[in-house]
Amino acid sequence: SFGGKEFLYGLPELNKTAISSARYIANPGCFATCIQLALLPLANAQMLNSDVHVNAVTGSTGAGIMPSATTHFSWRNNNASWYKAFTHQHLGEINESLESLQETVGELYFIPNRGNFSRGILSTAYTKFEGSESEAYGLYHEFYKNAAFTMISEEPVHLKQVVNTNNCHIHLHKYKDVLLITSVIDNLLKGASGQAIQNMNLMLGFNESEGLNLKASVY
């Protein structure tokens, strides 16, 4: 709650039904959206029992509008660096969502990186997984079967596939006993304003994808 108003966490893939009848929505953060979408199906299946390691890179537009030493183009161009290792502010909302599905989850170790591009987030998360790659795909397809913008790909995903769209693309890869989950979003759309419009559509009874059938520039 804030200012005497009760806010609902506005991640449609997690709270779609509740969003439709909510009065106030808290729009998720960009890293939080990308990472949660990668991990929610495992938590829902009570299979997020080991530590999770996440490495994610965001474009310069993820730094907000206030100028700083690390946001100027001349510094970002041809450059890369990490920041807020293990302590990023989005960890709180990520863990809260995961724990709403699985009471106890493994520790989340998150390294955010600044990328040499303007928009988009690519996240790679890996954790121990006892099942097969095929079983993992089954979990993800089932969890997102009614999701308007989250798509599961059996081919490797690329950032350009989602930039300028409200989509999230997810790819799975099993190596020995480890499952690698790659997720990509546009930080300004699915990670910000696009998701806000998606929430508004649900709240007002519009088609969930109204105004959001955007096409990536790569196609």
Side-chain angles (χ1 to χ4, degrees):
S1 63
F2 181 79
K5 299 174 182 177
E6 292 295 325
F7 284 79
L8 179 72
Y9 191 64
L11 187 64
E13 291 79 0
L14 179 65
N15 293 323
K16 182 174 180 177
T17 300
I19 289 168
S20 298
S21 58
R23 293 194 63 193
Y24 303 102
I25 295 293
N27 210 51
C30 51
F31 271 133
T33 295
C34 197
I35 295 169
Q36 284 176 90
L37 293 177
L39 299 177
L40 286 174
L42 295 179
N44 187 61
Q46 311 298 299
M47 299 181 75
L48 209 53
N49 301 312
S50 300
D51 292 344
V52 183
H53 297 266
V54 181
N55 193 290
V57 58
T58 185
S60 57
T61 53
I65 62 172
M66 295 300 293
S68 71
T70 60
T71 59
H72 291 286
F73 173 79
S74 58
W75 190 90
R76 295 288 292 240
N77 189 41
N78 296 321
N79 199 8
S81 60
W82 62 261
Y83 66 106
K84 296 182 181 178
F86 311 119
T87 63
H88 194 277
Q89 64 270 19
H90 288 181
L91 282 168
E93 60 188 281
I94 295 169
N95 281 309
E96 186 171 337
S97 292
L98 296 176
E99 290 167 3
S100 73
L101 297 176
Q102 181 176 341
E103 185 175 355
T104 303
V105 299
E107 187 76 18
L108 187 62
Y109 295 98
F110 173 35
I111 307 293
N113 297 277
R114 305 178 183 96
N116 177 28
F117 51 92
S118 61
R119 60 195 295 170
I121 291 177
L122 183 144
S123 168
T124 54
Y126 63 91
T127 187
K128 288 188 176 179
F129 181 77
E130 294 181 359
S132 66
E133 185 174 290
S134 177
E135 289 170 332
Y137 269 110
L139 291 175
Y140 278 72
H141 280 298
E142 176 63 23
F143 190 85
Y144 290 121
K145 64 183 179 182
N146 295 319
F149 296 104
T150 298
M151 302 150 192
I152 312 304
S153 171
E154 298 197 8
E155 296 294 326
V157 294
H158 307 276
L159 198 56
K160 280 189 174 183
Q161 293 171 321
V162 297
V163 170
N164 298 320
T165 80
N166 197 55
N167 297 332
C168 174
H169 289 186
I170 296 174
H171 174 261
L172 307 176
H173 176 68
K174 182 80 185 289
Y175 176 75
K176 296 184 178 180
D177 65 344
V178 170
L179 182 67
L180 170 66
I181 311 107
T182 304
S183 54
V184 288
I185 66 167
D186 186 319
N187 60 296
L188 296 181
L189 287 168
K190 185 57 176 165
S193 61
Q195 186 148 255
I197 296 298
Q198 186 179 356
N199 283 318
M200 182 191 73
N201 287 340
L202 290 169
M203 293 171 74
L204 298 179
F206 299 154
N207 187 305
E208 186 176 358
S209 60
E210 191 72 32
L212 293 172
N213 290 318
L214 308 171
K215 192 173 183 179
S217 57
V218 70
Y219 296 117

